[in-house]
């Protein structure tokens, strides 16, 4: 075992603790990849040699230190590669590390009965297509001819899926910083049924994210919406933007589209959260020019509003829908 995938059991309001928890992992290895909002991958190959312990034993030490130093429990999956560690995480429990065997036969046996949706990167649409043809487990996908998969989901996706289902893990842990994403959450005082209040919360969150991105001279490539419900379950949707942007209007439109796609019917929503991901410097991005004067006008208003907020405070300018 060389790779562990850790998910810290952080309350939504304590996401700011993640950098400190990443520092805890860096006490064992410098090769740590943040998986916001509450997870990380760590390559423990060097730590195994240095400490003379396996990854599962080191995972127990990580869990104890997280509890002792930060008061945070965690679940941990371990495997020969990042993809396998993330699959193992699905079956992990607090106090019990789930590990994938290191030999090919053990890997095949571990994956065989798991649903195809257990693989990272397999979305709902792909899983639905495969299940319609009886390919509902990784074992069946691994045994299926590659040509059959290519006809169903395309050549490139089929090759990647076939390799992963057979336990071939070509991924690696890429050290990064948690600042590659920005997040904000809008909790409701009571479980909220009103669609208009949901949309105002999304408008407020998108306006905040846009202002924060512009203040950092960053743009985001993807936007993630998380809806938390009264029964403590949640739904998460991620959408890639047409072009990387920090424009609040574009973020708001995308947030509304994802919200509408959820199809909530009288759902009691406890909180809505937005996360801007795939951040890159604004100077490296491009904007497709249009002949729409409304969009250009909104961008000029946005620039003026940013200057006012910088001088007089964040709440001095806001959309009219939020003024009440």
């Amino acid at each position: 075992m060389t790779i562990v995938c850790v998910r810290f059991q952080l309350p939504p309001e304590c996401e700011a603790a993640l950098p400190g928890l990443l520092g805890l992992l860096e006490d064992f290895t410098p090769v740590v990849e943040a998986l916001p909002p509450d997870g990380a991958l760590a390559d423990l190959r060097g730590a195994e040699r240095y400490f003379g312990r396996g990854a599962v034993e080191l995972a127990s030490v990580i869990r104890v230190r997280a509890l002792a130093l930060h008061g945070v429990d965690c679940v941990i999956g371990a495997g020969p590669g990042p993809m396998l560690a993330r699959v193992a995480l699905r079956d992990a429990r607090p106090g019990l590390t789930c590990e994938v065997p290191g030999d090919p036969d053990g890997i095949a046996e571990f994956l065989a009965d798991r649903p195809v949706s257990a693989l990272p990167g397999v979305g709902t649409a792909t899983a639905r297509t495969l299940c319609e043809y009886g390919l509902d487990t990784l074992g069946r996908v691994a045994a299926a001819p590659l040509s059959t998969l290519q006809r169903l989901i395309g050549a490139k996706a089929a090759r990647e899926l076939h390799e992963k289902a057979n336990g071939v893990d070509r991924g690696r842990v890429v050290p990064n910083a948690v600042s590659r994403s920005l997040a904000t959450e809008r909790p409701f005082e009571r479980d909220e049924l009103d669609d208009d209040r949901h949309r105002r919360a999304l408008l407020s969150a998108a306006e905040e994210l846009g202002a924060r991105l512009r203040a950092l001279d960053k743009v985001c490539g993807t936007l993630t919406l998380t809806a938390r419900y009264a029964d403590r379950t949640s739904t998460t949707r991620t959408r890639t933007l047409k072009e990387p942007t920090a424009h609040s209007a574009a973020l708001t439109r995308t947030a509304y589209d994802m919200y509408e796609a959820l199809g909530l019917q009288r759902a009691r929503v406890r909180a809505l959260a937005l996360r801007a991901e795939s951040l890159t410097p604004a100077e490296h991005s491009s904007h497709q020019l249009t002949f729409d004067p409304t969009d250009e006008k909104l961008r000029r208003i946005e620039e003026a509003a940013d200057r006012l907020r910088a001088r007089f405070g964040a709440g001095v300018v806001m959309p009219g829908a939020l003024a009440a």
Side-chain angles (χ1 to χ4, degrees):
M1 299 299 147
T2 58
I3 308 296
V4 295
C5 185
V6 184
R7 176 174 296 145
F8 299 103
Q9 297 186 321
L10 289 171
E13 65 274 11
C14 295
E15 186 180 324
L18 183 57
L21 292 165
L22 294 179
L24 183 152
L25 294 175
E26 289 169 353
D27 289 340
F28 294 86
T29 173
V31 189
V32 176
E33 179 178 351
L35 301 175
D38 56 6
L41 285 167
D43 187 337
L44 297 182
R45 283 178 293 182
E48 288 177 316
R49 293 191 294 270
Y50 182 82
F51 292 101
R53 298 184 179 185
V56 175
E57 293 178 285
L58 292 173
S60 299
V61 179
I62 291 170
R63 183 180 296 109
V64 171
R65 289 193 180 182
L67 280 168
L69 299 177
H70 300 274
V72 174
D73 202 354
C74 58
V75 291
I76 303 176
M83 181 271 292
L84 292 169
R86 295 177 73 168
V87 173
L89 182 69
R90 292 171 59 97
D91 294 340
R93 297 292 181 270
L96 179 64
T97 299
C98 180
E99 57 178 313
V100 180
D103 60 288
D105 292 338
I107 293 173
E109 183 179 353
F110 181 87
L111 295 176
D113 295 329
R114 279 166 172 71
V116 68
S117 59
L119 281 182
V122 176
T124 304
T126 299
R128 186 186 303 116
T129 299
L130 293 169
C131 289
E132 289 175 352
Y133 290 87
L135 302 174
D136 54 346
T137 66
L138 294 177
R140 291 176 177 175
V141 172
L146 178 58
S147 58
T148 299
L149 297 177
Q150 289 175 333
R151 286 194 296 271
L152 295 178
I153 61 174
K156 181 179 179 181
R159 286 195 300 270
E160 293 179 356
L161 177 62
H162 196 255
E163 284 189 348
K164 291 179 179 179
N166 280 281
V168 179
D169 191 347
R170 300 187 186 278
R172 60 190 183 92
V173 180
V174 181
N176 64 4
V178 72
S179 60
R180 289 185 63 182
S181 67
L182 292 176
T184 186
E185 185 171 50
R186 293 296 182 268
F188 297 105
E189 292 183 359
R190 57 182 62 88
D191 299 333
E192 188 57 68
L193 294 167
D194 189 351
D195 285 349
D196 288 337
R197 292 183 181 271
H198 295 167
R199 293 174 72 88
R200 284 200 294 273
L202 290 174
L203 173 60
S204 172
E207 285 286 327
E208 179 188 331
L209 279 183
R212 290 169 63 187
L213 286 167
R214 294 190 298 274
L216 295 171
D217 290 325
K218 300 282 189 179
V219 293
C220 72
T222 58
L223 192 67
T224 296
L225 166 66
T226 300
R228 307 185 195 279
Y229 307 113
D231 60 358
R232 299 184 182 275
T233 61
S234 63
T235 303
T236 300
R237 293 290 182 269
T238 299
R239 183 164 297 183
T240 301
L241 303 174
K242 292 181 179 178
E243 61 182 19
T245 186
H247 186 29
S248 295
L251 297 176
T252 302
R253 286 194 297 269
T254 303
Y256 284 169
D257 289 345
M258 288 191 290
Y259 172 77
E260 295 297 335
L262 291 179
L264 302 181
Q265 297 180 352
R266 302 291 294 170
R268 294 186 298 160
V269 179
R270 182 157 294 177
L272 291 168
L274 282 180
R275 174 178 297 281
E277 299 175 303
S278 302
L279 305 190
T280 56
E283 61 184 11
H284 296 163
S285 66
S286 60
H287 167 54
Q288 177 63 50
L289 297 178
T290 68
F291 293 102
D292 182 4
T294 302
D295 182 68
E296 295 304 319
K297 184 178 179 180
L298 286 174
R299 290 178 183 272
R300 290 198 298 269
I301 293 174
E302 194 171 71
E303 292 175 2
D306 287 342
R307 290 194 295 269
L308 289 172
R309 293 189 186 105
R311 184 172 181 180
F312 298 107
V316 70
V317 180
M318 66 181 67
L322 302 178

